[in-house]
Amino acid sequence: MSTETIGVAPWMALPETQAVIAALEARGSPGCARFVGGCVRNTLMGKPIDDIDIATTLTPDAVIEALGQAKLRAIPTGVDHGTVTAVSNGRPYEITTLRRDVSTDGRRAVVAFTQDWSEDAQRRDFRFNALYVDIHGRLYDPTGEGVNDAREGRVVFVGDPTTRIREDSLRILRFFRFHAWYGRGDPDQEALAACKALIGLAEGLAAERVQKELLKLLAADDPRATVRLMAATGVLSRVLPSVESPARFEGLVAIETEQLFENDPELRLAALLPDDPKIAEQVAERLRLSNALKARLIAAAGASPRIVSWMSPREIRRVVYDLGLNTFSDRVKLAWAASGRSATTPQWRGLLALAETWTPPAFPLTGEEVLKAGAPKGPMVGEVMREVETWWIDQDFIEDKFSIIERLKAVVQGMAF
């Protein structure tokens, strides 16, 4: 099963990493713990490493005991499924006992622990996620194809795709997510056919799981081809029934790529939805998005005031004052993406630049000044202030306090109290 060595990668040489492996091997034996999954795959593909996951032949109780003896913190994050999180000098390591599935219902699995690395590999989703490497950099590829898949950018299920999906229907979305991040060229046709045939199984997935996979997919550098694939297979409409056309989404990704904006999965989600705050709210509730993201989607979906590339500086300031910089920026990018014009069009970039360099002033009028001008206490104070503020905005946020007070007097005199 050992095919080659990848050497000791920097993340493997970290003192924190070495301490965790040493603790496990002291309780078990040399080689009882190996790195697995994304850290191995990404090292082979030359991509950044996020999480460091470890597989072991030790039972969860033995893992907790080993970490305790080494004075490392152990968190029982998923003991029933064999997972313990070790914390070494503040860095987390997810440690999972080798497992095999006893039964599954498409969402949850009943597992039994095993000592067999090949058996553990057979229950994983994709071949390039079923790779293991020991602390010395020796690579283990139980399926025989995981290394080639990683190096060639192929997303292929372990064994039969239909069986893997029936074990956990979230793997349909995971297939597209991994293809968006790591796939090169055409997708695996057997996997694609299975995803299309079994898409109905995704109906019962927890909203939080769907949300997590969808936002991860949209965070890929260029998920356009994958989203097209999802649309063509009917998967996209199952996940987001409100999607009308991915065209604006594709335009947004092009803008981000060419203008060197950061990938913004939340705005990309907004780009897939129509400009209708009610629909944005429905999608947010369907996916159980956070209140902050829900508010952002609803604000971005607003159609008024209309955003166009030929807005004057005065109009830009007025809208930024009304919407706030973040919402204005979201709506500019969405309008730019929907315009069908080149991502390098300077007018759109100019709107953003002006907005980003302008600090909206505070309205320079107080309730006390309104009262001194003759307005009675109560709701009329707010009404007078709103009337003066509207004039102040029309005057392009005039700074002349004398003129503002004169306008205040005129408004108070003109109102019947």
PDB file of all heavy atoms in Angstrom, residues 217-233:
ATOM      1  N   LEU A 217     -18.322  25.997  -1.983  1.00  0.00           N
ATOM      2  CA  LEU A 217     -18.230  25.880  -3.440  1.00  0.00           C
ATOM      3  C   LEU A 217     -18.073  27.255  -4.078  1.00  0.00           C
ATOM      4  O   LEU A 217     -17.220  27.467  -4.946  1.00  0.00           O
ATOM      5  CB  LEU A 217     -19.478  25.175  -3.967  1.00  0.00           C
ATOM      6  CG  LEU A 217     -19.540  24.789  -5.443  1.00  0.00           C
ATOM      7  CD1 LEU A 217     -20.571  23.685  -5.637  1.00  0.00           C
ATOM      8  CD2 LEU A 217     -19.882  25.958  -6.366  1.00  0.00           C
ATOM      9  N   LEU A 218     -18.903  28.207  -3.642  1.00  0.00           N
ATOM     10  CA  LEU A 218     -18.880  29.549  -4.225  1.00  0.00           C
ATOM     11  C   LEU A 218     -17.608  30.314  -3.881  1.00  0.00           C
ATOM     12  O   LEU A 218     -17.303  31.324  -4.513  1.00  0.00           O
ATOM     13  CB  LEU A 218     -20.110  30.339  -3.761  1.00  0.00           C
ATOM     14  CG  LEU A 218     -21.460  29.828  -4.252  1.00  0.00           C
ATOM     15  CD1 LEU A 218     -22.597  30.648  -3.662  1.00  0.00           C
ATOM     16  CD2 LEU A 218     -21.536  29.843  -5.775  1.00  0.00           C
ATOM     17  N   ALA A 219     -16.856  29.829  -2.887  1.00  0.00           N
ATOM     18  CA  ALA A 219     -15.606  30.495  -2.506  1.00  0.00           C
ATOM     19  C   ALA A 219     -14.425  30.072  -3.373  1.00  0.00           C
ATOM     20  O   ALA A 219     -13.337  30.641  -3.258  1.00  0.00           O
ATOM     21  CB  ALA A 219     -15.289  30.215  -1.041  1.00  0.00           C
ATOM     22  N   ALA A 220     -14.606  29.090  -4.253  1.00  0.00           N
ATOM     23  CA  ALA A 220     -13.519  28.648  -5.133  1.00  0.00           C
ATOM     24  C   ALA A 220     -13.086  29.798  -6.036  1.00  0.00           C
ATOM     25  O   ALA A 220     -13.874  30.712  -6.323  1.00  0.00           O
ATOM     26  CB  ALA A 220     -13.972  27.454  -5.966  1.00  0.00           C
ATOM     27  N   ASP A 221     -11.851  29.756  -6.488  1.00  0.00           N
ATOM     28  CA  ASP A 221     -11.340  30.846  -7.329  1.00  0.00           C
ATOM     29  C   ASP A 221     -12.219  31.087  -8.547  1.00  0.00           C
ATOM     30  O   ASP A 221     -12.529  32.225  -8.875  1.00  0.00           O
ATOM     31  CB  ASP A 221      -9.904  30.543  -7.773  1.00  0.00           C
ATOM     32  CG  ASP A 221      -8.903  30.791  -6.655  1.00  0.00           C
ATOM     33  OD1 ASP A 221      -9.250  31.505  -5.691  1.00  0.00           O
ATOM     34  OD2 ASP A 221      -7.785  30.265  -6.732  1.00  0.00           O
ATOM     35  N   ASP A 222     -12.618  30.046  -9.236  1.00  0.00           N
ATOM     36  CA  ASP A 222     -13.463  30.212 -10.413  1.00  0.00           C
ATOM     37  C   ASP A 222     -14.461  29.056 -10.505  1.00  0.00           C
ATOM     38  O   ASP A 222     -14.207  28.038 -11.150  1.00  0.00           O
ATOM     39  CB  ASP A 222     -12.626  30.270 -11.693  1.00  0.00           C
ATOM     40  CG  ASP A 222     -13.470  30.678 -12.904  1.00  0.00           C
ATOM     41  OD1 ASP A 222     -14.714  30.755 -12.768  1.00  0.00           O
ATOM     42  OD2 ASP A 222     -12.887  30.913 -13.976  1.00  0.00           O
ATOM     43  N   PRO A 223     -15.604  29.201  -9.835  1.00  0.00           N
ATOM     44  CA  PRO A 223     -16.597  28.126  -9.829  1.00  0.00           C
ATOM     45  C   PRO A 223     -17.596  28.196 -10.988  1.00  0.00           C
ATOM     46  O   PRO A 223     -18.609  27.499 -10.976  1.00  0.00           O
ATOM     47  CB  PRO A 223     -17.308  28.347  -8.496  1.00  0.00           C
ATOM     48  CG  PRO A 223     -17.266  29.834  -8.308  1.00  0.00           C
ATOM     49  CD  PRO A 223     -15.967  30.298  -8.924  1.00  0.00           C
ATOM     50  N   ARG A 224     -17.325  29.033 -11.993  1.00  0.00           N
ATOM     51  CA  ARG A 224     -18.310  29.224 -13.058  1.00  0.00           C
ATOM     52  C   ARG A 224     -18.653  27.935 -13.801  1.00  0.00           C
ATOM     53  O   ARG A 224     -19.838  27.620 -14.012  1.00  0.00           O
ATOM     54  CB  ARG A 224     -17.816  30.293 -14.043  1.00  0.00           C
ATOM     55  CG  ARG A 224     -17.879  31.710 -13.495  1.00  0.00           C
ATOM     56  CD  ARG A 224     -17.275  32.718 -14.454  1.00  0.00           C
ATOM     57  NE  ARG A 224     -15.810  32.594 -14.522  1.00  0.00           N
ATOM     58  CZ  ARG A 224     -15.034  33.423 -15.201  1.00  0.00           C
ATOM     59  NH1 ARG A 224     -15.575  34.418 -15.890  1.00  0.00           N
ATOM     60  NH2 ARG A 224     -13.721  33.275 -15.193  1.00  0.00           N
ATOM     61  N   ALA A 225     -17.646  27.187 -14.210  1.00  0.00           N
ATOM     62  CA  ALA A 225     -17.908  25.960 -14.967  1.00  0.00           C
ATOM     63  C   ALA A 225     -18.687  24.961 -14.118  1.00  0.00           C
ATOM     64  O   ALA A 225     -19.593  24.271 -14.608  1.00  0.00           O
ATOM     65  CB  ALA A 225     -16.598  25.346 -15.438  1.00  0.00           C
ATOM     66  N   THR A 226     -18.372  24.898 -12.836  1.00  0.00           N
ATOM     67  CA  THR A 226     -19.065  23.966 -11.948  1.00  0.00           C
ATOM     68  C   THR A 226     -20.514  24.368 -11.744  1.00  0.00           C
ATOM     69  O   THR A 226     -21.410  23.511 -11.740  1.00  0.00           O
ATOM     70  CB  THR A 226     -18.336  23.883 -10.593  1.00  0.00           C
ATOM     71  OG1 THR A 226     -17.001  23.413 -10.806  1.00  0.00           O
ATOM     72  CG2 THR A 226     -19.048  22.940  -9.648  1.00  0.00           C
ATOM     73  N   VAL A 227     -20.770  25.655 -11.579  1.00  0.00           N
ATOM     74  CA  VAL A 227     -22.153  26.105 -11.410  1.00  0.00           C
ATOM     75  C   VAL A 227     -22.949  25.846 -12.683  1.00  0.00           C
ATOM     76  O   VAL A 227     -24.127  25.459 -12.635  1.00  0.00           O
ATOM     77  CB  VAL A 227     -22.192  27.601 -11.024  1.00  0.00           C
ATOM     78  CG1 VAL A 227     -23.610  28.147 -11.080  1.00  0.00           C
ATOM     79  CG2 VAL A 227     -21.623  27.786  -9.610  1.00  0.00           C
ATOM     80  N   ARG A 228     -22.314  26.007 -13.845  1.00  0.00           N
ATOM     81  CA  ARG A 228     -22.972  25.665 -15.115  1.00  0.00           C
ATOM     82  C   ARG A 228     -23.346  24.188 -15.137  1.00  0.00           C
ATOM     83  O   ARG A 228     -24.437  23.799 -15.571  1.00  0.00           O
ATOM     84  CB  ARG A 228     -22.037  25.962 -16.292  1.00  0.00           C
ATOM     85  CG  ARG A 228     -22.191  27.353 -16.879  1.00  0.00           C
ATOM     86  CD  ARG A 228     -21.285  27.541 -18.084  1.00  0.00           C
ATOM     87  NE  ARG A 228     -20.325  28.597 -17.820  1.00  0.00           N
ATOM     88  CZ  ARG A 228     -19.037  28.516 -17.977  1.00  0.00           C
ATOM     89  NH1 ARG A 228     -18.480  27.394 -18.384  1.00  0.00           N
ATOM     90  NH2 ARG A 228     -18.260  29.546 -17.723  1.00  0.00           N
ATOM     91  N   LEU A 229     -22.426  23.371 -14.656  1.00  0.00           N
ATOM     92  CA  LEU A 229     -22.649  21.931 -14.598  1.00  0.00           C
ATOM     93  C   LEU A 229     -23.797  21.599 -13.654  1.00  0.00           C
ATOM     94  O   LEU A 229     -24.651  20.750 -13.958  1.00  0.00           O
ATOM     95  CB  LEU A 229     -21.364  21.259 -14.123  1.00  0.00           C
ATOM     96  CG  LEU A 229     -21.156  19.779 -14.402  1.00  0.00           C
ATOM     97  CD1 LEU A 229     -21.152  19.506 -15.902  1.00  0.00           C
ATOM     98  CD2 LEU A 229     -19.833  19.321 -13.777  1.00  0.00           C
ATOM     99  N   MET A 230     -23.844  22.283 -12.526  1.00  0.00           N
ATOM    100  CA  MET A 230     -24.937  22.068 -11.576  1.00  0.00           C
ATOM    101  C   MET A 230     -26.279  22.461 -12.189  1.00  0.00           C
ATOM    102  O   MET A 230     -27.287  21.791 -11.965  1.00  0.00           O
ATOM    103  CB  MET A 230     -24.675  22.872 -10.305  1.00  0.00           C
ATOM    104  CG  MET A 230     -23.488  22.389  -9.495  1.00  0.00           C
ATOM    105  SD  MET A 230     -23.127  23.478  -8.076  1.00  0.00           S
ATOM    106  CE  MET A 230     -24.543  23.141  -7.013  1.00  0.00           C
ATOM    107  N   ALA A 231     -26.280  23.547 -12.946  1.00  0.00           N
ATOM    108  CA  ALA A 231     -27.512  23.988 -13.605  1.00  0.00           C
ATOM    109  C   ALA A 231     -27.956  22.972 -14.654  1.00  0.00           C
ATOM    110  O   ALA A 231     -29.143  22.638 -14.759  1.00  0.00           O
ATOM    111  CB  ALA A 231     -27.305  25.359 -14.233  1.00  0.00           C
ATOM    112  N   ALA A 232     -27.011  22.468 -15.423  1.00  0.00           N
ATOM    113  CA  ALA A 232     -27.334  21.533 -16.502  1.00  0.00           C
ATOM    114  C   ALA A 232     -27.870  20.207 -15.980  1.00  0.00           C
ATOM    115  O   ALA A 232     -28.710  19.567 -16.626  1.00  0.00           O
ATOM    116  CB  ALA A 232     -26.098  21.291 -17.368  1.00  0.00           C
ATOM    117  N   THR A 233     -27.415  19.794 -14.801  1.00  0.00           N
ATOM    118  CA  THR A 233     -27.852  18.517 -14.235  1.00  0.00           C
ATOM    119  C   THR A 233     -29.085  18.642 -13.349  1.00  0.00           C
ATOM    120  O   THR A 233     -29.609  17.637 -12.868  1.00  0.00           O
ATOM    121  CB  THR A 233     -26.719  17.878 -13.411  1.00  0.00           C
ATOM    122  OG1 THR A 233     -26.293  18.808 -12.410  1.00  0.00           O
ATOM    123  CG2 THR A 233     -25.544  17.496 -14.289  1.00  0.00           C
TER     124      THR A 233
END
